[in-house]
Amino acid sequence: MFLELHGNQWRVVVNVPKKLRAKLGTKLKRSLGTDSLKEANRLKWDVIAELKAIIAHAENPSLSLETARSKSREQVMQQAIRFAEQRKGALDLVQRDQIDEEIDWQAESLAGRPVAADEDGHEIFDPDRLRLAKDFSQLARGERTPIDLHHEKFLGASHVKARTLADDKRAMKLLKDWCNKAGVPPYLQTITKREAVRFCDELPGLKDDLSPVTLNKYVSRLSVYWTWLENRHEVESNIWHGRRLREPQQTTDQKERPFTDDEVKTLLAGPALPEMDDLMRIAALSGARLDAIVCLKVKDCRDDGVFVFKPQKKEPGPRLCPIHPDLEEIVDRRKKGKAPDDDIFPEWPGVKKSTSLRERSFKASNEFTAYRRKVGVEDRREGKRRGLVNFHSFRRWFITKAEQAGQPESTIAIVVGHKRPGMTFGVYSGGPLLEQARQCVEAVKLPKPTQGTLSEVA
């Protein structure tokens, strides 16, 4: 590979991309000064890296040769990863020995020739090249594994929302940045429980603009990744298990809360657009999350009087929820003349860019916030970034009203999609659970409007 015999000596030959041939020629060549193929294989890698750096510099003149050489280091480490995968899949000792011999040859090449000798005659190598050779050898032999080596595969196997995937990437970047700052080699083998504790202790200083709640979210995503690695026998244990930053204790009057009945009256009596009024009523009488409602299609509003909400949070599959009698007119009106795959709320079609991390309900959420503030439903506390009421307060209100109506906690959990041990509502949708859920939903009643509220708000 990359070698040709010229006369009686071997030389390295690297093909030049077509777009650069007018500048560099069709091939870059450099003699290795040896007639031994074994020696040529040992020496070639460093020369290949140099020639590829020249090509990278020619392709992007603003890129210095030093930067191009650093990119060649990335290429060397990528090759080490390929060696590690080959070694891991070796079927027998003979095949593994052959791979190890290749690794040794390349490591020696990366180290280069001795630059001097000490007083005892021991060879001295360039420290940077020797470090690269050592890093390459350890990675190729599986002795050290970059912490993000398997991260892309992990992300590909994760069935989570785009925003959570973005959190995964931010968490990995934070860990790598910390490793660089703390002088910790960024390998799975060197990130121990002790290092995990150090990371959590020093994380607030690394990102002092983020709250402990947000930082704990990133630690949690690292924990999920390490659990995945543990299941694949890439690490011995999940070092992030139980790791959390201390969050400031919230008093009762600082926690996000349900709407009061008076606030619900104000919201439903105000000058809301028809689609916003329909949206609020469905939320109040189903306890569903905003995105689940906005994403409803005609086929999800079944003729047997059941909503089919898409999975949210950690729900394993679509969730069934009986349609409240007071919502039947809204559902029938919004279904009329539409095909099964048409949207119930076409007013909020969602973001157009496939790469966007925003949920479809993003715009609906902003419009609701503007409307809520317009009618004076607000609860801000000093030192809190978010107010204590938001669209999710409809869900909290529904749960509160169901509890006050004497509905069992386990049934309420079924209706709103909270975790519940035992039978799955989706599996037994035709049995008694469905009837219990229907009784729970119908037990919740919208507060009766106060006389004059509508005109006062208008």
Side-chain angles (χ1 to χ4, degrees), residues 392-443:
H392 207 71
S393 294
F394 279 122
R395 179 175 172 85
R396 300 185 184 101
W397 180 85
F398 175 89
I399 293 171
T400 300
K401 290 301 170 183
E403 288 176 340
Q404 292 174 352
Q407 294 302 308
E409 182 180 350
S410 59
T411 304
I412 299 172
I414 289 174
V415 172
V416 299
H418 283 168
K419 186 176 181 181
R420 175 184 184 272
M423 291 182 292
T424 303
F425 183 35
V427 175
Y428 297 96
S429 58
L433 280 177
L434 180 60
E435 187 54 38
Q436 292 170 18
R438 195 176 298 281
Q439 292 175 10
C440 175
V441 168
E442 294 181 5

Side-chain angles (χ1 to χ4, degrees), residues 30 42 47 81 85 91 96 98 108 110 161 174 229 241 243 248 333 356-358 370 376 401-402 418 420 446:
R30 185 174 298 177
R42 187 181 74 82
V47 177
I81 291 171
E85 291 173 348
L91 300 177
R96 177 168 289 191
Q98 291 174 342
E108 290 174 14
L110 292 170
K161 292 182 179 179
L174 278 173
L229 291 171
H241 180 70
R243 304 274 173 261
R333 170 167 42 83
S356 175
L357 302 181
R358 294 175 175 175
K401 290 301 170 183
H418 283 168
R420 175 184 184 272
L446 290 176

